[in-house]
Amino acid sequence: MADRAGAVSPRPNARTIRTRKRSAGAEPLVMLTAYDQPSASIVSAAGVDLLLVGDSVGDNVLGFDDTLHVTIEDMEHHVAAVARAKPDCLIVGDLPWMSYHVSVEQAVTNAARLIRAGAGCVKLEGGRKRVPAIEAIVNAEIPVMGHIGLTPQSVHAMGGMRVQGREVDAATALIADATAIAAAGCFAIVIEGVPDAVGSAVTKAVDVPTIGIGAGPGCDGQVLVFHDVLGLGTKRVAKFVRQYANLAEDATKALTAFASDVRSGAFPTEAESYESSEELRQAIGSDGTAR
Ligand code: KIV
């Protein structure tokens, strides 16, 4: 990975990311999701620090309405596809719903599956009640990223995808969650869908970097979903998304032009076909009927 002066620095890992607290003068961290080899190559070429193979693969790629249908097998499959791109950033493998809730043994076993598939660390959702799972995974030498606030795996418990921490008690509880999971060994924490003051307060309360998504500018880094940034999605995007392209529109225009060229006979031309020798033409006839 090259810095602004063009100097090549080693690929980020959980230990180097852990030192990127902005109060230490570091640049904000940049994380994007990707779910397969081509998207991982694009994300890597953009020079990001972290690539999250999120369980958001469920609603962005697999056609589900939420992340709850995503299994550990799905995540292994997508982490492995991303890893084949050999991206120049830290691959974060997202542990899906019900892959770390039953027992600490289950959490460690599933975290190991994502590491063997090619991730450099895992992410899981939840605050204080996830401390035993986080400690067990960290004890197995696997770095863990936390995720608090609007945690999509808790959609039913939250009563929908709603901004969290709007009331003082709820904000205080989020700060307690963040400090507990940082103490349990998380090397970084995603904060999603909270008022900006809560994003900043959580960031100040912990000594590990926070990565915000809909948590305001006070976090130590920012993450967005690949399909949202590029305008590739089919659903309405959240308020916190900044869309930098409209690839769905561009792709539809391109594919409509292809269909029209095929139908009109404008595609393919001779230049887009393999040449035939005169001998071959003579032998089989231009209509393909052997003589
Ligand atoms: O799965 C995902 O994409 C995520 C991000 C929203 C942080 O967890």
Side-chain angles (χ1 to χ4, degrees), residues 19-94:
T19 65
R20 300 274 304 274
K21 193 75 190 160
R22 258 164 101 187
S23 51
E27 268 191 335
L29 288 163
V30 182
M31 180 158 89
L32 275 168
T33 68
Y35 311 104
D36 55 18
Q37 186 270 334
S39 59
S41 297
I42 294 167
V43 164
S44 176
V48 308
D49 302 297
L50 303 110
L51 186 166
L52 170 64
V53 189
D55 62 352
S56 54
V57 68
D59 45 332
N60 286 290
V61 174
L62 301 179
F64 295 119
D65 289 334
D66 54 40
T67 60
L68 303 180
H69 296 82
V70 177
T71 64
I72 189 71
E73 287 77 18
D74 294 330
M75 291 309 303
E76 266 180 316
H77 179 76
H78 287 277
V79 167
V82 161
R84 281 181 212 116
K86 299 190 176 44
D88 212 2
C89 44
L90 176 60
I91 301 177
V92 184
D94 215 1

Side-chain angles (χ1 to χ4, degrees), residues 59-182:
D59 45 332
N60 286 290
V61 174
L62 301 179
F64 295 119
D65 289 334
D66 54 40
T67 60
L68 303 180
H69 296 82
V70 177
T71 64
I72 189 71
E73 287 77 18
D74 294 330
M75 291 309 303
E76 266 180 316
H77 179 76
H78 287 277
V79 167
V82 161
R84 281 181 212 116
K86 299 190 176 44
D88 212 2
C89 44
L90 176 60
I91 301 177
V92 184
D94 215 1
L95 284 166
W97 183 57
M98 276 299 134
S99 71
Y100 55 95
H101 302 68
V102 177
S103 66
V104 293
E105 290 77 14
Q106 182 212 28
V108 174
T109 305
N110 285 326
R113 287 175 72 164
L114 298 191
I115 296 295
R116 288 198 170 125
C121 63
V122 297
K123 177 171 85 57
L124 58 78
E125 297 183 5
R128 281 158 286 181
K129 58 183 148 182
R130 299 290 165 241
V131 163
I134 293 166
E135 285 177 344
I137 299 170
V138 171
N139 279 336
E141 318 301 346
I142 299 173
V144 179
M145 177 180 283
H147 182 164
I148 59 167
L150 194 174
T151 44
Q153 292 174 14
S154 318
V155 57
H156 296 305
M158 291 183 304
M161 297 285 276
R162 340 159 68 92
V163 174
Q164 301 293 297
R166 281 197 194 274
E167 290 79 35
V168 176
D169 283 359
T172 310
L174 279 176
I175 294 169
D177 281 336
T179 50
I181 64 173

Side-chain angles (χ1 to χ4, degrees), residues 222-234:
Q222 299 291 330
V223 53
L224 284 177
V225 165
F226 184 86
H227 292 63
D228 291 346
V229 174
L230 295 179
L232 262 175
T234 48

